[in-house]
Amino acid sequence: MSESDDADYSLPDDLPAVRDALVSWYEADHRQFPWRETDDAYEILVSEVMSQQTQLGRVVEAWEAFLDRWPTPAALADADRADVVGFWTDHSLGYNNRAKYLHEAAEQVVTEYDGEFPESPDELQNLMGVGPYTANAVASFAFNNGDAVVDTNVKRVLHRAFDVPDDDAAFEAAASEAMPDGESRVWNNAIMELGGVACEQTPKCDSAGCPWREWCHAYETGDFTAPDVPTQPSFEGSRRQFRGKVISILKEYDELPLSKLGPRVRVDYAPEGEYGREWLEGLLNDLSDDGLVDVERGDANDELVARLRR
């Protein structure tokens, strides 16, 4: 094993063989997702944003429907934002502000970049809602110009295979060292696939034909512990679910006073109850902060009225 200067982990001495084994394993057989068959930055960005809150299997249908409706950044930029947010809600794609940011990012690509996506991770972060991870993924998969991806799956793989300690800096360093230069597209796909189908929380080393068994510390020792994996908060009954419900209702009715909106959001809505006016106003404040909803005093009885922001 070769140890990097000042590092408290060791990668195998024959890194070229390690790399070749993983890439060959991936290219021989991997899960088929349509965004893996394209290098279009817009299509990849849409897939990355959708995948942040949704299982990949469910993303496929939504991704295809989204691109059928808005096939280019220009088409999305021209869309009514309420329609984009409504699509997000209808397909249960998680936080609605992701739809808002995606719409704004498309507007930036059209107005600031003449319809052409920036190509480096740093430049891609200039787009609304695009953080370091998403920027690097788009740079990798669209332009083969990214750094090593470090997500939960990759951390688990590196921790088990090469005994990399549960430390973000160590994971970043090990991932960068392992990735071959100029191969971010295939490498990042391959190592995430390894974590997704072979080195899961319950590993499937032999049945999935893990290509790293001969080098893997966990496979040798039988110790398959891994860094804690954060659990996704339950969607059912969450504030996120009810914010989505508010959007769906306002999409149907355009605007509603809170006295009529509340019972449509929750059947147990009671103005002075636990899930009453204060709770509903909290949801609306969140949606207003995200730029999705306007709340104003109506003409009748000076009651608050909620409407989708256009």
Side-chain angles (χ1 to χ4, degrees):
M1 305 287 276
S2 65
E3 188 165 337
S4 302
D5 293 342
D6 301 322
D8 48 2
Y9 64 87
S10 298
L11 298 185
D13 292 328
D14 49 348
L15 261 183
V18 172
R19 293 163 174 162
D20 289 346
L22 177 59
V23 172
S24 296
W25 172 84
Y26 173 76
E27 291 182 336
D29 183 28
H30 59 260
R31 291 172 295 177
Q32 300 294 319
F33 296 117
W35 48 86
R36 285 180 170 173
E37 310 303 320
T38 181
D39 60 4
D40 183 288
Y42 170 65
E43 295 178 358
I44 290 169
L45 176 62
V46 173
S47 76
E48 288 294 327
V49 175
M50 286 185 174
S51 300
Q52 291 171 16
Q53 294 294 326
T54 311
Q55 293 292 324
L56 293 181
R58 292 204 302 114
V59 169
V60 174
E61 180 181 352
W63 183 81
E64 291 175 339
F66 190 95
L67 293 175
D68 185 58
R69 187 166 180 181
W70 300 295
T72 64
L76 182 59
D78 286 341
D80 188 317
R81 183 168 298 168
D83 289 339
V84 180
V85 173
F87 178 98
W88 215 257
T89 298
D90 292 345
H91 288 79
S92 301
L93 289 169
Y95 296 108
N96 291 317
N97 60 357
R98 299 192 192 281
K100 169 178 170 280
Y101 292 150
L102 187 57
H103 184 257
E104 292 180 6
E107 291 176 334
Q108 285 180 271
V109 170
V110 171
T111 60
E112 299 176 22
Y113 294 95
D114 296 324
E116 299 292 332
F117 268 76
E119 298 186 7
S120 73
D122 286 344
E123 290 177 306
L124 282 159
Q125 286 187 65
N126 292 328
L127 300 180
M128 183 62 67
V130 176
Y133 178 87
T134 300
N136 189 49
V138 174
S140 294
F141 304 139
F143 305 112
N144 199 26
N145 188 38
D147 302 315
V149 164
V150 182
D151 67 358
T152 299
N153 282 342
V154 172
K155 289 179 179 180
R156 187 187 313 119
V157 168
L158 294 173
H159 182 80
R160 285 175 173 166
F162 308 130
D163 205 20
V164 177
D166 185 6
D167 174 79
D168 286 346
F171 283 129
E172 293 281 352
S176 297
E177 184 179 349
M179 187 181 79
D181 291 341
E183 298 291 337
S184 62
R185 177 183 287 132
V186 67
W187 180 262
N188 285 330
N189 268 322
I191 196 169
M192 288 193 294
E193 184 78 352
L194 185 65
V197 304
C199 199
E200 300 174 272
Q201 286 179 280
T202 301
K204 301 175 181 176
C205 313
D206 295 320
S207 61
C210 175
W212 281 0
R213 282 171 289 180
E214 67 178 278
W215 299 284
C216 179
H217 177 265
Y219 192 74
E220 178 184 359
T221 63
D223 180 3
F224 288 95
T225 56
D228 291 340
V229 179
T231 56
Q232 177 68 30
S234 173
F235 180 72
E236 190 66 30
S238 66
R239 287 177 65 84
R240 182 159 52 100
Q241 180 188 31
F242 286 110
R243 286 197 296 266
K245 199 166 183 180
V246 169
I247 293 293
S248 294
I249 293 166
L250 293 180
K251 184 183 176 188
E252 180 180 357
Y253 288 93
D254 192 36
E255 67 175 48
L256 282 173
L258 268 59
S259 60
K260 293 185 178 180
L261 174 62
R264 288 175 169 84
V265 176
R266 288 190 70 112
V267 294
D268 57 349
Y269 176 85
E272 305 305 323
E274 179 181 1
Y275 298 109
R277 188 179 299 109
E278 183 177 349
W279 172 82
L280 181 58
E281 288 181 5
L283 295 182
L284 293 170
N285 286 336
D286 290 347
L287 292 168
S288 177
D289 290 343
D290 288 340
L292 301 174
V293 166
D294 288 320
V295 181
E296 300 174 353
R297 293 286 175 187
D299 295 332
N301 302 322
D302 202 30
E303 185 176 5
L304 288 175
V305 174
R307 62 176 61 87
L308 286 180
R309 185 172 298 178
R310 300 286 181 176

